[in-house]
Amino acid sequence: MSQENQINNKNSENINDNNNNEPINIQNIKEGEDKEGNKKESNKNKYNAEILNVPNEFSEYEINFKIIIIGDSGVGKTCITNQAVKNIFWDKYQATIGMEIYSLFIKIDNKIIKFQIWDTCGQEMYKSLITNFYRSSSLAVLVYSIDQKDSFNDLDLWIKELKTNNSPDTKLILVGNKLDLENKRQVEYNEGKKFAEDFQFIDFFETSAKTGENIHNMFIRAANVLYEEHIKYKDYESDTSFTTFRPAYGQALKKGNPKKTKKNTNKCC
């Protein structure tokens, strides 16, 4: 068995162990201000989406998107995922080995979509392995820590790596994590916002995996964007394992009847 398959098999057991079926309904996403008094832009929950806490075996969903979370080691990628999926936070740091897969279910526009979240490690020794997991991602969440300037400076390298190993059309969200460490801040809010604008990210959030601040808002925002793309281009969908929308790279969509894609019967990791 390959190293990649061993990792996938091991981590398939980690998906949603929360059996509480009460939804987390995020009706309004409020505006805020950074420490300099600059107003942060609000992100409207256009389709009145809600995150669902469902058991492991939950399988009722209509749309499936692959989300990949990348960034330097120690910025809190796994903590962000655990907070979103399980509403938990662990103070003790434990580096992710290779990659872990989680599932997050979101009800949007009276439909249930599934986010298959690929939480990658940030350690250099695993770089050649995790780049294989980038392919077919609908959206990438790039994470840095506001108290680690180096993790912000390394974002250029992560973007280059992502573009090399995945579609240039992949949507991007930038996250500055560890907002609870405001007193140790090394990266200002406006620096993150400008970076996101310069590289045409769909949005930028400062989050705290410890307190949960903006974690659900970030995934709700991702759901709104991906669902809107799905609606816009649903006649051009491809039957892949992880995504329901993938336009031809760098090509304009042609008018007329879309060509049907041959269903791929060979399931791939």
Side-chain angles (χ1 to χ4, degrees):
M1 183 180 292
S2 69
Q3 186 177 6
E4 179 176 338
N5 287 334
Q6 286 176 338
I7 293 174
N8 287 345
N9 290 340
K10 177 175 181 281
N11 292 299
S12 62
E13 301 172 359
N14 293 333
I15 300 174
N16 278 23
D17 59 1
N18 190 336
N19 291 319
N20 178 14
N21 289 304
E22 290 295 323
I24 303 170
N25 194 353
I26 303 178
Q27 296 287 350
N28 299 303
I29 301 178
K30 298 180 180 179
E31 293 183 341
E33 293 184 349
D34 64 12
K35 69 176 186 178
E36 297 173 346
N38 299 302
K39 182 170 283 189
K40 301 178 184 180
E41 297 176 0
S42 63
N43 302 288
K44 295 180 180 178
N45 187 357
K46 181 177 181 180
Y47 297 99
N48 194 27
E50 59 184 18
I51 294 177
L52 303 176
N53 289 335
V54 295
N56 225 6
E57 62 272 13
F58 187 80
S59 59
E60 297 181 5
Y61 60 90
E62 299 174 68
I63 311 170
N64 192 12
F65 294 108
K66 177 181 176 182
I67 312 296
I68 190 162
I69 301 185
I70 57 178
D72 282 3
S73 181
V75 296
K77 299 184 297 297
T78 300
C79 290
I80 287 173
T81 307
N82 277 320
Q83 184 65 254
V85 174
K86 304 177 183 180
N87 296 314
I88 60 175
F89 174 82
W90 289 306
D91 279 310
K92 187 176 180 181
Y93 172 70
Q94 185 174 0
T96 300
I97 305 299
M99 178 273 306
E100 293 186 15
I101 300 177
Y102 301 78
S103 291
L104 182 67
F105 295 90
I106 301 175
K107 187 175 182 180
I108 182 169
D109 200 22
N110 292 319
K111 295 179 175 60
I112 296 177
I113 69 171
K114 176 183 177 181
F115 276 179
Q116 189 175 74
I117 303 173
W118 293 49
D119 170 31
T120 65
C121 71
Q123 295 166 293
E124 185 67 32
M125 68 179 72
Y126 295 108
K127 283 288 183 70
S128 61
L129 175 63
I130 66 172
T131 52
N132 295 324
F133 302 140
Y134 289 178
R135 65 183 184 273
S136 300
S137 301
S138 298
L139 181 141
V141 179
L142 273 71
V143 183
Y144 69 91
S145 179
I146 68 165
D147 70 325
Q148 298 174 27
K149 187 71 172 184
D150 287 346
S151 68
F152 181 78
N153 293 335
D154 287 344
L155 289 175
D156 286 332
L157 300 176
W158 287 105
I159 292 176
K160 182 178 179 181
E161 190 173 84
L162 179 67
K163 296 297 185 182
T164 300
N165 293 279
N166 198 38
S167 163
D169 299 320
T170 302
K171 303 297 181 185
L172 302 173
I173 286 181
L174 181 63
V175 169
N177 192 37
K178 301 190 182 181
L179 192 53
D180 49 287
L181 299 179
E182 176 68 37
N183 61 330
K184 298 181 180 179
R185 180 187 285 272
Q186 295 181 7
V187 184
E188 297 302 323
Y189 173 83
N190 284 341
E191 291 182 83
K193 183 179 179 180
K194 184 179 186 304
F195 186 94
E197 290 172 348
D198 289 346
F199 284 89
Q200 298 182 322
F201 283 59
I202 63 172
D203 218 326
F204 165 60
F205 292 87
E206 286 193 335
T207 66
S208 170
K210 184 174 184 177
T211 67
E213 184 173 353
N214 264 341
I215 299 297
H216 289 135
N217 289 350
M218 184 266 291
F219 282 105
I220 287 290
R221 173 63 168 154
N224 273 269
V225 170
L226 293 178
Y227 181 71
E228 197 163 74
E229 289 287 282
H230 167 74
I231 295 299
K232 187 176 180 180
Y233 296 109
K234 62 182 178 180
D235 291 335
Y236 297 87
E237 291 171 344
S238 60
D239 291 327
T240 64
S241 298
F242 299 115
T243 59
T244 61
F245 162 68
R246 180 62 59 194
Y249 300 160
Q251 298 179 7
L253 297 174
K254 297 180 181 179
K255 295 182 179 180
N257 295 326
K259 294 182 180 179
K260 292 184 177 180
T261 2
K262 185 177 178 181
K263 189 172 184 179
N264 181 11
T265 55
N266 297 320
K267 297 289 184 181
C268 173
C269 60

